[in-house]
Amino acid sequence: MTTTLPARVAAPAVEGSGIRLGLTLYSLTSEWAAGRYDLAGLLDVVDAAGIGPGIEIVASQTIRTYPEVTPEFVRAWRDAFDRHGFVPSSFGCNLDMGRRRDRDMTPDEEYEFTVTQFRSAHALGFPLVRIQSAKPELIRRLLPVAEELDLTMGWELHAPLGPNSPKVLEIRETYAEIDSPRLGFVADFSSTMHAMSPTILRKLARMGLEQQDLEELQRIWATDADINARHGEFVQYLHTRGIAPESLGSFARLAFNMHGHVDPAEWADIMPQIRHVHAKFYDIDEHGDEPAIDYPAIVREFVRGGYSGFFSSEWEGHAFADLDEADPVDLVRKQHDLIRRSITAALSDPPH
């Protein structure tokens, strides 16, 4: 299975910009996990809502035979994309280091497991594979495979990291040494939030935190300490209040590692290497804005930087919201409207 779908090109979200719209099916995680849709039904919903044409997947979630794809799956995928006029945008790879109970993967196992996913991405017609946590040695080994399969590799830059975090600088240095157009970044807007999402604050309130606790959490979050220091400070605060940190499950930690507060201007430092965007969001308020992520400011950086590629809507409110607490399809539609407004404003705003 080495053939690809016929090339399709999505129209820009707003004429004069290279930004195109779509979504990751991960946005409908809760509905998918609850059995509301099979894959064909999920794609039908996306088409009916008009929230394509770019389609991104997290392979481990979407493909039942992951990391391989069967000929039957490929045929059904192609038929659906032909029927809906969708465009494959990004194939989300995972390393899954803990697939064995007794040990992590060896470097050779990491390589072979990722190569299998690359071949699946190619069979489904994806031009880009999102790689997470891949170290420089693995990136170097994978590059010839990406060249063989005509794939671009996008290293995901996600909260709490930013373009100039030490871990990212190491990847940037590796890219500079290799100097290949097939290497780039997937920018996730969770890195550049200006506030904590109301969704997680509502969740923590339901779990028993009072307003003063939420205010202290937000104060600690906004400091410049690293994630471990901030989390540690919050745990200490909970103890002073007589609150057992374990009563909050994983959410006390997720509050920090899923919400970064890097300056959006830093995206300009890697703009020529950004190949794909996870347009992360958690809420859309009554004004049509994302209350924790400054979309007009972020979009302005991408328009001025000449970015050309997909903004793949990723609603991650499902991490904190109960099933049916929100309608992700409606939220993505509203977020697309916000992105279009932000692009239009950026195009009419002369550079400083």
Side-chain angles (χ1 to χ4, degrees):
M1 291 182 292
T2 58
T3 58
T4 58
L5 288 162
R8 297 188 181 97
V9 178
V14 175
E15 201 63 42
S17 164
I19 296 172
R20 293 166 284 162
L21 296 179
L23 84 161
T24 169
L25 298 185
Y26 174 73
S27 296
L28 286 90
T29 287
S30 295
E31 291 74 15
W32 172 258
R36 298 274 177 89
Y37 308 111
D38 58 11
L39 183 57
L42 195 60
L43 294 173
D44 287 344
V45 166
V46 171
D47 189 13
I51 52 177
I55 301 294
E56 175 176 2
I57 64 170
V58 176
S60 59
Q61 180 183 62
T62 305
I63 301 170
R64 299 301 187 193
T65 56
Y66 166 83
E68 295 92 0
V69 287
T70 64
E72 294 77 17
F73 185 92
V74 173
R75 281 196 297 272
W77 181 265
R78 290 170 179 266
D79 289 346
F81 271 58
D82 286 340
R83 184 168 66 255
H84 296 302
F86 288 150
V87 180
S89 62
S90 172
F91 181 102
C93 294
N94 286 64
L95 270 179
D96 293 339
M97 296 296 293
R99 284 174 70 86
R100 290 183 53 142
R101 291 179 179 270
D102 56 332
R103 61 171 175 81
D104 285 345
M105 287 183 180
T106 66
D108 285 344
E109 287 169 339
E110 290 181 18
Y111 170 77
E112 294 297 338
F113 190 73
T114 308
V115 166
T116 299
Q117 294 176 78
F118 278 24
R119 297 198 183 282
S120 294
H122 177 69
L124 296 174
F126 284 95
L128 180 140
V129 285
R130 182 219 62 191
I131 53 175
Q132 285 182 310
S133 68
K135 294 181 173 61
E137 312 84 64
L138 180 59
I139 291 171
R140 292 178 187 276
R141 289 187 70 182
L142 290 171
L143 182 57
V145 182
E147 291 171 340
E148 172 199 341
L149 299 175
D150 194 23
L151 294 171
T152 296
M153 297 162 58
W155 196 92
E156 183 176 11
L157 202 167
H158 187 286
L161 302 177
N164 295 297
S165 299
K167 187 175 182 179
V168 179
L169 289 174
E170 182 184 21
I171 300 300
R172 291 173 63 181
E173 290 168 5
T174 300
Y175 282 4
E177 292 168 6
I178 299 172
D179 192 25
S180 169
R182 294 194 179 277
L183 299 176
F185 290 99
V186 173
D188 189 296
F189 289 165
S190 63
S191 293
T192 45
M193 301 176 68
H194 65 79
M196 299 187 72
S197 66
T199 312
I200 193 171
L201 298 176
R202 289 194 296 268
K203 177 69 173 180
L204 291 170
R206 288 197 298 268
M207 298 181 79
L209 292 192
E210 298 179 4
Q211 184 60 34
Q212 69 184 82
D213 306 321
L214 298 176
E215 290 174 358
E216 180 64 7
L217 169 61
Q218 292 172 85
R219 184 198 66 78
I220 295 170
W221 173 81
T223 66
D224 291 330
D226 68 31
I227 181 174
N228 292 322
R230 285 182 287 156
H231 177 246
E233 183 179 352
F234 183 56
V235 167
Q236 287 183 336
Y237 166 79
L238 291 174
H239 284 306
T240 67
R241 290 270 293 134
I243 300 170
E246 56 269 23
S247 69
L248 302 179
S250 62
F251 295 105
R253 179 78 179 184
L254 291 175
F256 297 99
N257 68 11
M258 291 178 68
H259 296 69
H261 54 63
V262 173
D263 187 338
E266 288 194 29
W267 289 125
D269 296 341
I270 59 168
M271 191 64 69
Q273 292 175 298
I274 296 178
R275 303 287 186 259
H276 184 73
V277 166
H278 283 167
K280 179 68 60 64
F281 75 112
Y282 293 93
D283 288 274
I284 298 294
D285 65 20
E286 66 275 17
H287 306 294
D289 295 319
E290 215 299 347
I293 302 174
D294 189 345
Y295 262 84
I298 293 173
V299 169
R300 189 180 308 116
E301 292 292 337
F302 280 76
V303 170
R304 288 178 177 173
Y307 172 76
S308 180
F310 280 102
F311 269 32
S312 186
S313 291
E314 182 179 348
W315 182 66
E316 203 162 28
H318 58 75
F320 312 121
D322 295 331
L323 182 66
D324 293 330
E325 185 177 330
D327 179 354
V329 172
D330 183 57
L331 287 171
V332 169
R333 188 188 296 113
K334 290 176 179 176
Q335 191 218 22
H336 281 192
D337 290 341
L338 169 59
I339 293 170
R340 291 189 187 96
R341 291 200 313 272
S342 299
I343 295 172
T344 299
L347 289 172
S348 61
D349 183 21
H352 298 298

